[in-house]
Amino acid sequence: MNMVNLQNMTLVLRVPLRNAWLYGDPRQVIYPRNSTGMYCGIGENQGKPNVLYYDLLKCVTGTNILAAAMNGLQCPTTQVCVEKCPTEFMWAISNDSPAKVYNQEYCQPSINLTITNLTVAEIAAKELCPVFLVPSTSFFNRCFPGSNLTFPADFSINGLTGNQSKANISEAASQILDSFNFQNVGKKIFEDFAKSWPWIITALVIAMVVSLLFLILLRFTAGILVWVLIVGVIGVIGYGIYHCYMEYDTLNKQGVSVSDVGFTFNLGVYFRVKETWLAILIVLAVIEAILLLVLLFLRKRILIAIALIKEASKAIGHIMSSLFYPLVTFVLLVVCVAYWGMTALYLATSGAPIYRISTVNTSLPGCENITGNETCNPMTFSPSSSCKEARCIFQRYNNEGLFQTNLFNLQIYNVIGFLWCINFVIALGQCVLAGAFASYYWAFHKPKDIPFFPVAESFMRTLRYHTGSLAFGSLILTIVQLIRIILEYLDHKLKGAQNPCTRFLLCCLKCCFWCLEKFIKFLNRNAYIMIAVYGKNFCVSAKNAFKLLMRNIVRVVVLDKVTDLLIFFGKLIVVGGVGVLAFFFFSGRIPIPNDSFKSPALNYYWIPILTVVLGSYMIAHGFFSVYNMCVDTLFLCFLEDLERNDGSPEKPFYMSKSLMSILNKKNRPPKSEEKTKKK
């Protein structure tokens, strides 16, 4: 089954990739095209990476600039590849010679200004050269007018381009700059990163050190920390009860009741009536009573959870390489994302270019019948005798073929492969770590019996024997996630529907499949642990893990909640502490006498702060995910140890002495030793 599942997974990933690479062309999003459809910057246009629009006003007035940008900014004006964008003003003067008026660098290759017999007006009418040029900057390899243009006093276009003027050129430039206003913001953000990257890396290193120290110190402080957190939660709820009672007593004396308010959408009003505070008080009191009862009757199980947490910290101390395995998972996830992104890009750029007959001015004699709907071949096209200004220009990419009409289905197929690949990588990491920590637990003499390279051995063992089981478990999770995506899509499409039954049904389905996804993730995680311990297939391992957990459901709940509380507190310390430190440092609120260690002057000081907070969270999540996996693995091994062994010489316990002392159990000596002691 392992080979079959792995082959099916490979097939799912291969089909969209093969078709995408066969028909796709990612150069469409990397390089701009000129009017003939040739790429700028490569091939015949090597050394000319920028595209220049002769009449950019046609791009602005004829279509929305952002919509045009998504379509490669193709518009009904001549576009040529140039080495660099214009840096000076230029405008056509009709009574001068073409060589004096135009710059050959910005003209079409088909015209030679030194030998042409055409007049300036004829060249302008045929758009063989630009009628005017303004100082421009390259943005995504496209020449756009610069900001704050100051036109020369004698600037004039002499009517050669219709109703254009200095005013509408300035307006067009402003419109383009407003549409791409994020350019300046992007530059400032990039400058901030360039100035602050050493301090960002320093903060992330601090986050890594704090995370590591927290996990190591849990070996000595887990018991105290757990009880402090539990007492803290009880204290906070107790204060909430006190606050609610005081508010209720005050409003009760004032005689304000919900009957005086009635029904209103202003929720703030309900906090001014006594019934609201009474309801909150009752809820908090019930929660407080439940917690106190749990502490009273489940204190022994809490002690077991604390002992397992200490044992997990000890296991990580013996297997320090496990803390760096999330880097392997991260690299594999980057590979999956890169695969999905490249495949999606190739699929999106598939299709042959379409060229259509167009003209600069349809009002010219003989050009009235050109509608722009007739296709042409730029290699063989020649203007008709009736309309000499007609030309064959690139319009868009074909989306009407058999392959192109099924692009959406192939993108869905690609998403399925992406989800499956992501889930497989996560499952691989969980199984590898489970195998490493299981080797620690089942070592009778610790740390002497622990393998020298437990993580590496577990990784090789998992790749050799368990990839099919991991692929099968990942497929089940992928199917559920795909159903959730479909439900979200339907919910988005039906947002305007007024049918309450449909909305209610969708809401229930989304809630049910969200719960199902959480349950499958939980079941898969424990199934992978059983796979790493016993080497059985996914279905048997999932069944055994589920039955084992159900037989110890109270211990599962207690351990899960105590571990979640500790991990939340650890993340809060790492992310909150490093984030606050970054805020005071980058905002300049920490007085530092040495200028070498002062925060650099930034445009947006919150950019490095957010980067540090996000990076710290990812680092803390990576460290604590290893710790969480260690606790879960040791817990399942502990339950198996209790059920399989009885402490006799034939079936000794493998658990630590602290766990045996809590359970009042110990490994019994051989019978011969017992008789000697009695004598």
Side-chain angles (χ1 to χ4, degrees), residues 500-569:
C501 293
T502 304
R503 304 287 300 168
F504 176 75
L505 180 61
L506 268 177
C507 184
C508 291
L509 287 174
K510 287 168 61 178
C511 179
C512 290
F513 277 96
W514 179 84
C515 296
L516 180 61
E517 182 183 0
K518 294 295 181 183
F519 172 74
I520 289 178
K521 284 183 177 180
F522 172 78
L523 184 61
N524 283 6
R525 183 185 182 89
N526 291 280
Y528 299 147
I529 296 174
M530 299 299 282
I531 289 172
V533 174
Y534 292 106
K536 296 182 180 180
N537 62 49
F538 176 81
C539 295
V540 174
S541 299
K543 181 190 71 174
N544 294 339
F546 183 73
K547 288 184 176 179
L548 181 63
L549 293 174
M550 288 300 102
R551 291 195 296 268
N552 300 271
I553 186 64
V554 178
R555 288 174 175 165
V556 172
V557 174
V558 172
L559 179 70
D560 186 58
K561 296 309 171 189
V562 170
T563 307
D564 286 346
L565 186 63
L566 266 182
I567 289 178
F568 172 76
F569 182 71

Side-chain angles (χ1 to χ4, degrees), residues 279-418:
I280 298 175
L281 186 149
I282 294 173
V283 171
L284 292 178
V286 170
I287 295 175
E288 186 86 340
I290 292 174
L291 287 177
L292 292 175
L293 290 174
V294 166
L295 285 178
L296 182 64
F297 293 103
L298 301 179
R299 61 187 183 279
K300 186 174 181 179
R301 289 179 171 82
I302 294 176
L303 292 175
I304 293 174
I306 293 172
L308 282 170
I309 289 170
K310 290 181 178 179
E311 195 68 19
S313 182
K314 191 186 299 183
I316 290 176
H318 288 298
I319 311 176
M320 292 294 291
S321 58
S322 61
L323 292 174
F324 300 98
Y325 185 82
L327 294 176
V328 178
T329 301
F330 175 76
V331 171
L332 294 176
L333 290 176
V334 169
V335 172
C336 292
V337 173
Y339 156 79
W340 168 77
M342 288 299 296
T343 305
L345 178 62
Y346 270 88
L347 286 173
T349 57
S350 61
I354 294 179
Y355 300 86
R356 296 193 184 277
I357 299 177
S358 179
T359 183
V360 178
N361 191 352
T362 56
S363 62
L364 294 174
C367 300
E368 299 88 352
N369 297 326
I370 296 179
T371 60
N373 295 324
E374 186 178 354
T375 59
C376 58
N377 186 343
M379 305 302 295
T380 60
F381 175 78
S382 60
S384 62
S385 57
S386 59
C387 184
K388 296 292 185 180
E389 285 72 22
R391 64 196 66 192
C392 184
I393 65 171
F394 167 77
Q395 186 197 39
R396 60 181 175 86
Y397 295 96
N398 182 26
N399 57 1
E400 299 174 355
L402 177 63
F403 175 76
Q404 284 73 30
T405 54
N406 289 280
L407 281 180
F408 180 77
N409 299 331
L410 288 172
Q411 291 285 18
I412 294 294
Y413 203 66
N414 186 35
V415 170
I416 295 174
F418 171 69

Side-chain angles (χ1 to χ4, degrees), residues 103-158:
N103 188 336
Q104 182 69 54
E105 180 184 359
Y106 302 119
C107 292
Q108 295 193 48
S110 60
I111 184 174
N112 189 331
L113 296 177
T114 59
I115 62 174
T116 182
N117 296 322
L118 298 175
T119 64
V120 171
E122 291 173 337
I123 292 175
K126 296 181 178 182
E127 280 198 358
L128 296 175
C129 292
V131 177
F132 63 92
L133 294 175
V134 295
S136 305
T137 55
S138 178
F139 184 54
F140 289 121
N141 296 110
R142 292 169 173 85
C143 295
F144 288 135
S147 58
N148 300 323
L149 293 175
T150 303
F151 289 88
D154 57 343
F155 180 82
S156 174
I157 51 179
N158 296 327

Side-chain angles (χ1 to χ4, degrees), residues 597-615:
F597 296 97
K598 282 188 176 181
S599 171
L602 302 173
N603 298 297
Y604 310 106
Y605 70 85
W606 49 267
I607 291 293
I609 295 175
L610 289 179
T611 306
V612 167
V613 169
L614 181 61

